[in-house]
Amino acid sequence: MSRIGNLAVPTPSGATIQIEPGLVRAKGPKGELTSPIPEGIEAKLEDGSLTFTRAGDQYAANHGLARALAANAVQGVTTGFTKNLEIVGVGFRAAVAGNVAIFSLGYSHQIEVVMPAGVEIKIEQNTKIEISGSDKQQVGQVAALIRGLRKPDPYKQKGVRYAGEILRKKEGKTGSK
């Protein structure tokens, strides 16, 4: 019994959903996304909502997956997704030049990250980063890539972290007493 797969995906106003063989196509004000339909899963569009059914219990794992991917596509083309990051550290900063983000993170050189198509980046106060786009996976991947440039240090708490991320601070060496 798939709890996620049995839920209907509501179609918000301004979004259109088309079911094609093997995929669901969602169009909206933020663009167009497609979501695959695995074998053994059937999608139906009725009364303004998208529902998924499976052929048998051997397709149970893909039932919830297909529904979740379609729901993410519908949400992405209507409202979009955002990830917020913070840069903590003396002299650590970021800037944007076109579709390239430039980071100074304490290394001997600056790091440039080219944003893929469909992903926007905004930087406030040189330390607050907002990554937004319609594709949830792509937004999350870019955020993880930027965080990986300088992961938060457990001793001094410096680095790039997700907004609201709580870090456990380590004590360090105690020295001789």
Side-chain angles (χ1 to χ4, degrees), residues 30 115-120 132-135 138-139:
K30 299 239 180 209
M115 293 295 119
V119 176
E120 296 178 5
S132 60
S134 61
D135 189 357
Q138 201 172 33
V139 169

Side-chain angles (χ1 to χ4, degrees), residues 3-98:
R3 294 181 182 156
I4 301 295
N6 289 331
L7 296 174
V9 178
T11 305
S13 61
T16 59
I17 297 176
Q18 296 175 343
I19 300 174
E20 299 175 7
L23 61 94
V24 174
R25 186 176 305 274
K27 292 181 186 177
K30 299 239 180 209
E32 179 180 343
L33 291 175
T34 60
S35 171
I37 301 174
E39 180 184 339
I41 306 296
E42 183 182 341
K44 293 179 186 173
L45 185 62
E46 44 193 35
D47 299 332
S49 63
L50 184 63
T51 57
F52 291 89
T53 57
R54 64 177 183 244
D57 285 340
Q58 67 268 27
Y59 302 110
N62 291 334
H63 190 196
L65 172 72
R67 188 259 178 213
L69 291 176
N72 287 342
V74 170
Q75 182 181 349
V77 298
T78 54
T79 59
F81 295 98
T82 61
K83 288 275 189 179
N84 294 313
L85 298 165
E86 298 172 344
I87 300 175
V88 178
V90 177
F92 290 8
R93 66 179 64 87
V96 175

Side-chain angles (χ1 to χ4, degrees), residues 90-144:
V90 177
F92 290 8
R93 66 179 64 87
V96 175
N99 68 339
V100 177
I102 303 165
F103 296 95
S104 298
L105 298 173
Y107 298 118
S108 62
H109 59 284
Q110 293 183 338
I111 302 169
E112 295 182 355
V113 178
V114 178
M115 293 295 119
V119 176
E120 296 178 5
I121 185 167
K122 296 178 187 171
I123 297 177
E124 296 177 10
Q125 303 172 359
N126 295 331
T127 59
K128 307 233 184 287
I129 305 167
E130 181 180 294
I131 302 164
S132 60
S134 61
D135 189 357
K136 185 175 186 177
Q137 180 191 1
Q138 201 172 33
V139 169
Q141 186 66 41
V142 170

